[in-house]
Amino acid sequence: MIDVRSLRRLGTSMRDGLRGLRQAPLVFLMSVSTMAAGLLMLSAYLLVVQNMRTVLETAGADLTLVAFLTPGEPDEAVVADLAARFGGIDSVDSVTFVSRERALSRLREDLGSEATILEDMRENPLPASFEIQLIPEARTPEGVRRVASRLAEADGVDDVRYGEAWVEGYARVLRALEWIGAGFGGCLMLVLAVIVAGTVRLAVYARSDEIQIQRLVGAGGLFVRLPFYLEGALQGATGAGTALLLLWLAFSSALPSAGEAVQLLLGRAAPSFFGVTEIIALILLGAGLGVGGSVLSLVYIEESP
Amino acid sequence: MIQMYHVDMRYAGGAFGLRDVSLHVERGEFVFLTGASGAGKTSLLRLLFAAEAPSAGQVLVSGRNLSRLSSSQVPQLRREIGVIFQDFKLLGERTVFENVAVTLEIAGASRREIRARVWSILKRLGLGHRLDHRPRALSGGEQQRVAIARALVNDPPLVLADEPTGNLDPDLARDIMDIIADAHARGTTVIVATHDPTLLERYRHRLLVLEGGALVQDNAPDSYPGSVRRAVSTSA
């Protein structure tokens, strides 16, 4: 049960944490710099992965599955039946029938001045097709593959195309990067927590007299530990904030001169920085790492008399 | 207020701090604890505020059995005990006011209550003009008065003082003892560990003599006229 006195104790304990920072600003600064360096690496990596994911999403939005019908003029009843079948698939957003004539006229438009090469043809070589677009949730490599196989099963469908090699290859690279990021990020976070633990331990040694006296006059374990947790959280959050600021500066200053490389990686997708949610999440991650480090270094305080 | 039954206390290396000590201290009593260095005075006091645990026997303070006290209950016990140390144990980076306020902050008192009580006790102990000074700017006697103010500001029912006048000249020692006696006169139970015979003769309270960790004498205030020096020197 939290009563007024406990809340006041909490307030005092937090003030003690800020007092600790004022007493040893250099240690705080060193720890923040180390945290910032580590989190800069991590957030830069996450930014690359985030942008690559955007590419996949952009590709997904443009993605059209094309189901080519067997050569020859399709029967109207077959077309109506297939349109109804394809439209009934859960993940399908829209179904458009492209007749052989429409396909040919599109080809003419695409060829422009070179369309004359088509004049020698005695008959239209293009098959009729259905163009199918998916709902946003289904625009994943797995979702696309699932719908493609349903389309291919239908009678009257000769072939299904959706640029599968590119989509799946890119998704594989992205997945690998995410896994590498998880491993690399995990190791980095552990290292950062240990660094904070070391810094907090220094602060504990520096303030061991104070801790001893507080305990002698009746301070509970939480009252003693809370200032250090707060200190760790502030170190982590400030480190993360600094890392994000540096990354943003690098992002906005390097982007204009790295246009071609970025385009090669991202294609038509515009490079973007973290949104508010990601920024808050990274700052909270920094704070969490700081608290984790403090917990690591303070375990023994509970046992001392 | 305090009951001890056949209490032993051993340190990590196996050496005895206390041996088979049994005693009762009534609420509102003033008790001197004496004996040579290493006799067990500090061990006994540390046992009472749960800084040490008994190896055998039972210790009851304000009805709490310390052997059964969980670590989360220790802070509450300590908030009811004012402890005065020979080496003052003041926070060097904090002002006199802040050093005394620590006790009330930990007890969860409001800021208004803290201001009023700290100001009142520091004024009573003649430190009203030293509120914003750091301990290092104070004399030994003033530092000890700050430590006493910290111990008394919460009006604890029990005060434990370990050689509170040990580093002070006789006049200052008398001042300090007068402050502690004043707290006793207001109903506080007081236990003072000292090996200073002058204090024992001057204040005349119940006198416990420890030797090698054992309680060898328990003298009522009126039963040791002229024997104080002998009691202390014998035990030494």
Side-chain angles (χ1 to χ4, degrees), chain A residues 185-260:
Chain A
C187 293
L188 199 62
M189 281 192 266
L190 196 68
V191 169
L192 291 176
V194 170
I195 289 169
V196 176
T199 321
V200 172
R201 189 160 290 218
L202 278 179
V204 171
Y205 286 140
R207 278 148 56 189
S208 57
D209 286 350
E210 185 178 332
I211 292 170
Q212 188 200 11
I213 291 164
Q214 284 179 335
R215 292 196 73 98
L216 287 174
V217 297
L222 188 63
F223 184 94
V224 172
R225 290 195 307 267
L226 206 60
F228 295 105
Y229 291 165
L230 179 70
E231 202 169 318
L234 276 173
Q235 280 174 4
T238 314
T242 311
L244 285 168
L245 182 69
L246 292 174
L247 187 63
W248 181 78
L249 287 173
F251 179 83
S252 45
S253 63
L255 204 60
S257 54
E260 276 182 27

Side-chain angles (χ1 to χ4, degrees), chain A residues 5 8-9 210 213 218, chain B residues 78-79 89 94 106-108:
Chain A
R5 285 185 174 260
R8 286 194 196 124
R9 273 198 283 273
E210 185 178 332
I213 291 164
Chain B
R78 289 182 181 167
R79 282 175 217 151
K89 292 203 188 300
R94 300 208 192 175
I106 286 168

Side-chain angles (χ1 to χ4, degrees), chain B residues 174-188:
Chain B
R174 213 167 35 246
D175 282 352
I176 297 299
M177 281 308 298
D178 285 344
I179 295 165
I180 296 173
D182 183 43
H184 171 240
R186 282 182 280 116
T188 307

Side-chain angles (χ1 to χ4, degrees), chain B:
Chain B
M1 173 61 85
I2 294 168
Q3 290 137 307
M4 295 174 72
Y5 301 99
H6 304 290
V7 173
D8 283 353
M9 199 201 91
R10 282 171 182 264
Y11 288 106
F16 271 100
L18 294 172
R19 283 172 199 267
D20 196 27
V21 173
S22 294
L23 68 91
H24 286 225
V25 175
E26 297 298 327
R27 197 170 291 276
E29 226 183 325
F30 192 124
V31 177
F32 276 124
L33 202 58
T34 195
S37 296
K41 304 187 293 293
T42 300
S43 299
L44 197 147
L45 294 184
R46 285 177 63 79
L47 209 60
L48 295 178
F49 63 88
E52 304 286 350
S55 318
Q58 305 290 327
V59 182
L60 278 81
V61 177
S62 299
R64 293 186 182 89
N65 188 335
L66 301 195
S67 310
R68 294 191 192 146
L69 214 58
S70 69
S71 58
S72 61
Q73 291 170 311
V74 170
Q76 184 54 46
L77 171 84
R78 289 182 181 167
R79 282 175 217 151
E80 295 171 21
I81 302 175
V83 187
I84 302 164
F85 302 92
Q86 183 178 3
D87 60 353
F88 319 137
K89 292 203 188 300
L90 298 177
L91 298 166
E93 295 303 318
R94 300 208 192 175
T95 64
V96 166
F97 183 94
E98 288 167 340
N99 265 282
V100 178
V102 161
T103 308
L104 293 168
E105 285 172 349
I106 286 168
S110 69
R111 301 192 105 182
R112 180 181 296 189
E113 187 185 354
I114 292 172
R115 259 198 309 275
R117 294 181 81 151
V118 173
W119 165 246
S120 161
I121 196 158
L122 286 174
K123 199 173 163 208
R124 181 145 53 93
L125 299 190
L127 291 167
H129 61 299
R130 294 291 215 176
L131 295 182
D132 297 325
H133 288 78
R134 309 260 174 217
R136 60 179 167 274
L138 307 181
S139 68
E142 284 175 323
Q143 288 187 43
Q144 189 57 300
R145 274 186 280 160
V146 176
I148 291 173
R150 185 183 62 200
L152 298 181
V153 70
N154 207 22
D155 280 335
L158 174 64
V159 168
L160 307 174
D162 191 3
E163 304 280 5
T165 61
N167 293 329
L168 308 177
D169 66 47
D171 286 344
L172 283 174
R174 213 167 35 246
D175 282 352
I176 297 299
M177 281 308 298
D178 285 344
I179 295 165
I180 296 173
D182 183 43
H184 171 240
R186 282 182 280 116
T188 307
T189 308
V190 177
I191 301 183
V192 175
T194 181
H195 61 264
D196 181 351
T198 320
L199 286 185
L200 302 176
E201 280 177 350
R202 181 183 165 90
Y203 288 90
R204 290 281 163 172
H205 292 290
R206 179 181 169 193
L207 175 68
L208 305 175
V209 182
L210 287 166
E211 194 178 311
L215 182 62
V216 294
Q217 288 183 43
D218 185 347
N219 304 288
D222 53 357
S223 71
Y224 60 100
S227 67
V228 174
R229 279 174 196 283
R230 201 164 54 248
V232 176
S233 60
T234 304
S235 70

